[in-house]
């Protein structure tokens, strides 16, 4: 971005949510000003990523849109025997496949022998709300499982599902849909600083409509009825059919209570759940490869996936 373009882009963290949603709907998501997070730069910074190969895909979605996705594989890495469908965050209103939370995470995991299909989804801007992004994630999951051998070189029963922040919400919601439909759920679920309650900071169903968290939850849900839908916020429903789950929470994250409460809910239902607390980390830390707490989270994910083999 030029200096002039940068000056024209508002600071979304300081904008009312409704204004941010309107701006993004009108202008689209601005380019990330960081100059060292593209794939070529990441491979220069982290030599062990050099052999990871990528391929962009477009998956037929449930609403007439194509769902963007990107496949990551490293033929030189020792195979873990597992693959991952991964979904980035972005408060349901932003995020894309080139952001580090999608791209760098997938590169790192692929370099550790875990092929990854990184998935995008429609954002909740304008008239788009739940269940559209959740349904797109579930459709991408079905595509990945149906084509597991060709995409990943593993069987359908070796594919795990995971996501970060809003992506953690969408993947947990997709699993809740599968559970309630009697469909086969993934062999494992990875949730990184997820928001699983309408009120994440309080791990509660009751939102404060004047708070940014409450406004984002309502913007995602689209209605009071959907705000209480367990497919929109998985912590509001039964979880006895969930798979083994890794939940990463962060020391300094305001959404930490939501992840920890969901972990207790899974444990109470007899589900194998592991909580990884990242000391010193804050929400979004794996979207910054230079953050010293980011790589330990990648390693914790890879270790947990390896234990599923």
């Amino acid at each position: 971005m030029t200096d002039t373009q940068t000056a024209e882009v508002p600071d979304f963290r300081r904008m009312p949510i409704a204004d941010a949603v309107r701006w993004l709907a009108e202008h689209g998501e601005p380019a990330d000003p960081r100059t060292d997070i593209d794939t070529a730069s990441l491979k220069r910074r982290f030599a062990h990523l050099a052999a990871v190969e990528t391929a962009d895909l477009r998956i037929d979605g449930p609403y007439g849109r194509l769902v963007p996705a990107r496949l990551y594989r490293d033929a030189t890495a020792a195979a873990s025997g597992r693959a991952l469908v991964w979904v980035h965050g972005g408060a349901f209103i932003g995020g894309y496949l080139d952001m580090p939370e999608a791209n760098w995470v997938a590169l790192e995991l692929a370099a550790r022998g875990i092929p990854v299909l990184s998935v995008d989804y429609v954002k909740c801007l304008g008239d788009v709300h739940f269940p559209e992004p959740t349904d797109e994630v579930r459709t991408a999951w079905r595509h990945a499982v149906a084509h597991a051998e060709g995409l990943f070189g593993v069987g359908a029963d070796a594919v795990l599902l995971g996501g970060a922040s809003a992506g953690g919400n969408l993947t947990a919601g997709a699993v809740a849909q599968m559970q309630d439909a009697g469909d086969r759920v993934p062999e494992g679920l990875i949730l990184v600083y997820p928001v699983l309650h309408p009120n994440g900071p309080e791990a509660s169903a009751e939102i404060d409509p004047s708070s940014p968290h409450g406004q984002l939850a309502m913007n995602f849900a689209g209605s009071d009825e959907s705000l209480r839908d367990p497919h929109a916020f998985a912590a509001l429903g039964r979880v006895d059919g969930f798979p083994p789950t890794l939940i990463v929470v962060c020391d300094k994250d305001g959404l930490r209570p939501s992840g920890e409460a969901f972990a207790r809910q899974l444990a109470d239902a007899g589900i194998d759940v592991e909580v990884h607390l990242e000391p010193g980390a804050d929400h979004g830390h794996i979207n910054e490869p230079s953050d010293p707490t980011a790589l330990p989270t990648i390693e914790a994910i890879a270790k947990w996936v390896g234990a599923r083999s």
Side-chain angles (χ1 to χ4, degrees):
M1 299 177 69
T2 67
D3 290 342
T4 301
Q5 288 172 320
T6 301
E8 292 174 350
V9 174
D11 184 349
F12 296 106
R13 295 168 298 182
R14 299 180 183 277
M15 290 178 69
I17 299 302
D19 292 346
V21 168
R22 280 192 294 270
W23 194 95
L24 289 166
E26 180 178 353
H27 300 282
E29 188 159 3
D32 193 311
R34 291 175 288 180
T35 59
D36 59 352
I37 60 166
D38 61 283
T39 298
S41 296
L42 290 169
K43 288 187 174 183
R44 286 194 295 270
R45 292 169 66 187
F46 306 103
H48 61 280
L49 305 181
V52 179
E53 297 183 352
T54 65
D56 285 344
L57 313 176
R58 294 291 184 271
I59 299 167
D60 289 332
Y63 296 94
R65 295 181 293 260
L66 294 176
V67 179
R70 184 174 297 156
L71 178 65
Y72 296 75
R73 294 184 67 169
D74 185 344
T76 70
S80 69
R82 291 289 183 268
L84 177 66
V85 175
W86 177 252
V87 185
H88 65 78
F92 307 107
I93 61 174
Y96 48 98
L97 292 179
D98 288 326
M99 67 189 292
E101 193 175 80
N103 188 42
W104 177 64
V105 170
L107 287 166
E108 288 285 356
L109 293 175
R112 289 163 170 79
I114 305 166
V116 177
L117 184 67
S118 180
V119 175
D120 203 356
Y121 50 89
V122 67
K123 306 308 180 296
C124 292
L125 303 171
D127 294 330
V128 176
H129 305 285
F130 170 83
E132 292 191 35
T134 311
D135 289 345
E136 289 194 347
V137 167
R138 187 180 178 194
T139 296
W141 163 257
R142 287 172 169 165
H143 177 90
V145 170
H147 300 87
E149 289 286 357
L151 289 171
F152 308 120
V154 302
D157 60 351
V159 185
L160 312 181
L161 179 61
S165 193
N169 168 288
L170 298 176
T171 52
V175 170
Q177 288 180 329
M178 297 177 214
Q179 168 193 253
D180 293 347
D183 295 341
R184 182 173 181 173
V185 301
E187 295 300 304
L189 179 64
I190 300 166
L191 305 175
V192 179
Y193 40 74
V195 53
L196 302 161
H197 302 76
N199 183 339
E202 300 294 333
S204 166
E206 301 304 319
I207 67 166
D208 175 359
S210 68
S211 74
H213 287 290
Q215 291 167 24
L216 285 170
M218 180 56 79
N219 181 67
F220 165 59
S223 69
D224 287 331
E225 181 181 7
S226 292
L227 198 65
R228 286 159 175 75
D229 190 323
H231 296 167
F233 294 95
L236 303 183
R238 52 179 281 260
V239 297
D240 53 291
F242 267 60
T245 300
L246 170 67
I247 299 179
V248 176
V249 295
C250 300
D251 191 14
K252 301 177 180 179
D253 183 13
L255 289 175
R256 176 177 169 182
S258 185
E260 291 178 331
F262 193 64
R264 292 191 295 271
Q265 188 175 346
L266 290 171
D268 289 345
I271 304 302
D272 177 8
V273 58
E274 178 180 329
V275 177
H276 174 82
L277 171 63
E278 199 60 73
D282 204 345
H283 193 85
H285 70 291
I286 59 172
N287 198 43
E288 178 44 75
S290 297
D291 190 317
T293 66
L295 203 55
T297 291
I298 302 292
E299 292 166 348
I301 293 171
K303 180 180 178 181
W304 188 84
V305 171
R308 310 262 70 77
S309 301

